[in-house]
Amino acid sequence: DFIDVGGRKKQTTDVDRQRMRAALEAAGLPLDFDDITTGALLMNVFEASDENSEGVLTHKEVADLLQATLGHFGLSEWDTRTLLTMANETDDGFIEYKPFTQAAPELIEAAQRRRALYNERRDGAPTEVTPEAITVTFGDELTETSRLMVEACVHLDPNDTGAIRRDQFRRILHNRHDRLSPQEIQMLLQYAPEDDTGNIQYTTLPEVLEQLRI
């Protein structure tokens, strides 16, 4: 048996089948799909959540569904959030999921290779990057960048809710292109915590930025 991976055929293993079944079960979908591809699996998961059949879901919905599904493929939340940097997100925080699912098999396979390589290197030569080491490396620049971002968020949060809309957060990041690389902007958009409505909880931004610098 074979599954499709980025337009190529890859032989299906027992582990592949177990992962598919676990992901289908977690998504509440039928388990009788024969040799379903990862792209088709995600399409079924997303369509099941797209009650109005609009072809789009919020960023938070896609992120949560990816984590619930791809966790069975040995990928961490960090991995799935990194995958999301490849999705086209609208200014108001929606993702058109069909193009993303078409590219997903190859992206997932690459993420699995990176995760395996990371685990191999970590187990072979464990190292720990401490907060003190980050402070020594980036010094006041990290503190000042975090302060500027949080202050900009507070300015847009007159009711002191601790959260702002994604589109507001995106504008803040792009306005700080003098301090953030394009890659950091993309990663912050994925890793910044969201509340139940998909708004960005900005109070933890210093810790998120620190983690990205590790």
Side-chain angles (χ1 to χ4, degrees):
D1 295 338
F2 294 85
I3 58 175
D4 181 70
V5 177
R8 306 188 308 276
K9 294 297 182 180
K10 171 187 171 184
Q11 190 164 7
T12 311
T13 67
D14 289 339
V15 173
D16 290 324
R17 296 188 188 91
Q18 291 170 4
R19 287 171 172 170
M20 293 290 190
R21 290 181 64 84
L24 287 168
E25 185 174 10
L29 295 171
L31 303 182
D32 56 355
F33 295 148
D34 292 330
D35 298 328
I36 187 171
T37 68
T38 50
L41 168 63
L42 289 176
M43 181 66 77
N44 277 280
V45 170
F46 293 148
E47 286 183 338
S49 297
D50 183 12
E51 296 180 355
N52 296 324
S53 301
E54 296 175 326
V56 296
L57 293 169
T58 67
H59 176 274
K60 179 172 174 53
E61 288 173 327
V62 174
D64 289 348
L65 290 169
L66 277 180
Q67 180 59 30
T69 305
L70 298 185
H72 299 283
F73 288 75
L75 299 181
S76 68
E77 182 179 5
W78 180 275
D79 297 321
T80 57
R81 294 282 177 167
T82 302
L83 285 175
L84 269 176
T85 63
M86 306 301 294
N88 291 323
E89 182 180 345
T90 64
D91 290 340
D92 51 354
F94 285 87
I95 290 176
E96 186 178 358
Y97 56 80
K98 291 183 180 180
F100 178 69
T101 59
Q102 293 171 355
E106 188 168 1
L107 296 175
I108 292 170
E109 186 182 36
Q112 288 173 321
R113 289 197 300 268
R114 288 195 301 270
R115 173 55 52 185
L117 182 60
Y118 169 80
N119 290 338
E120 180 180 335
R121 290 176 175 174
R122 180 195 61 189
D123 295 340
T127 58
E128 180 182 2
V129 180
T130 65
E132 291 77 14
I134 296 297
T135 300
V136 169
T137 302
F138 296 103
D140 294 338
E141 185 271 335
L142 181 63
T143 301
E144 181 66 5
T145 299
S146 298
R147 183 188 67 80
L148 291 170
M149 288 196 300
V150 171
E151 283 186 355
C153 292
V154 169
H155 180 71
L156 296 174
D157 182 25
N159 296 323
D160 196 25
T161 64
I164 60 173
R165 300 193 313 268
R166 281 188 68 81
D167 62 305
Q168 294 174 317
F169 183 59
R170 182 183 291 106
R171 285 197 297 271
I172 288 172
L173 295 182
H174 284 288
N175 286 339
R176 292 263 64 94
H177 62 83
D178 57 326
R179 290 181 172 271
L180 299 169
S181 69
Q183 293 80 10
E184 285 178 324
I185 291 173
Q186 283 294 322
M187 298 298 273
L188 281 168
L189 279 167
Q190 303 310 324
Y191 292 112
E194 297 172 283
D195 63 18
D196 291 339
T197 63
N199 289 331
I200 299 296
Q201 298 173 309
Y202 60 81
T203 56
T204 59
L205 284 179
E207 290 83 0
V208 175
L209 183 58
E210 181 179 291
Q211 287 298 312
L212 289 180
R213 295 286 177 91
I214 291 179

